[in-house]
């Protein structure tokens, strides 16, 4: 997953989770209205959704921690190697010019 998308999604989850009781109440209200279930059933389902959101946040966090930064590091190493080689060639050319 894209690193920026991961951070944005985690921020949205954090905003929703900042007031869990309100989140669960709103979700259970939507379930009651749309599905026509009892308030107890809607509360249970909303609580389950809240737990799933927590699990998603944890999964995103672990993905962020374990994301493969080696590709970017490898590209950076290649660029540094090319720059080092170019500097070495430049130094060699300057030494030839100074010997003349």
């Amino acid at each position: 997953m894209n690193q920026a998308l991961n951070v944005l999604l985690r921020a949205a989850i954090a905003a929703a989770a900042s007031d869990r009781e309100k989140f669960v109440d709103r979700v259970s209200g939507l379930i009651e209205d749309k599905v026509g279930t009892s308030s107890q059933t809607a509360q249970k389902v909303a609580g389950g959704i809240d737990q799933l959101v927590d699990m998603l946040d944890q999964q995103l966090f672990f993905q962020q921690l374990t994301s493969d930064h080696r590709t970017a590091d490898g590209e950076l190493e290649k660029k540094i190697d090319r720059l080092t080689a170019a500097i070495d060639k430049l130094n060699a050319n300057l030494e030839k010019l100074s010997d003349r």
Side-chain angles (χ1 to χ4, degrees):
M1 176 183 286
N2 183 341
Q3 187 75 9
L5 182 60
N6 186 314
V7 171
L8 287 173
L9 189 53
R10 290 196 64 222
I13 290 171
S18 65
D19 189 355
R20 291 192 183 282
E21 193 172 314
K22 190 175 185 179
F23 175 77
V24 170
D25 286 343
R26 283 191 175 180
V27 171
S28 66
L30 285 171
I31 293 170
E32 271 184 78
D33 291 344
K34 301 295 180 185
V35 181
T37 62
S38 70
S39 61
Q40 268 188 328
T41 303
Q43 284 279 13
K44 285 181 184 178
V45 171
I49 291 172
D50 184 46
Q51 289 176 346
L52 289 173
V53 168
D54 277 343
M55 291 169 59
L56 174 62
D57 186 40
Q58 290 173 3
Q59 177 68 26
L60 291 170
F61 176 68
F62 287 123
Q63 280 182 2
Q64 188 176 7
L65 287 178
T66 60
S67 65
D68 191 11
H69 297 292
R70 286 177 266 161
T71 303
D73 291 345
E75 290 174 15
L76 182 60
E77 279 186 45
K78 288 178 186 177
K79 287 180 181 180
I80 291 171
D81 289 343
R82 287 194 305 259
L83 284 172
T84 303
I87 290 170
D88 289 342
K89 286 180 185 177
L90 179 62
N91 283 334
N93 287 336
L94 288 173
E95 284 179 16
K96 285 180 188 176
L97 287 174
S98 68
D99 290 340
R100 289 184 183 179

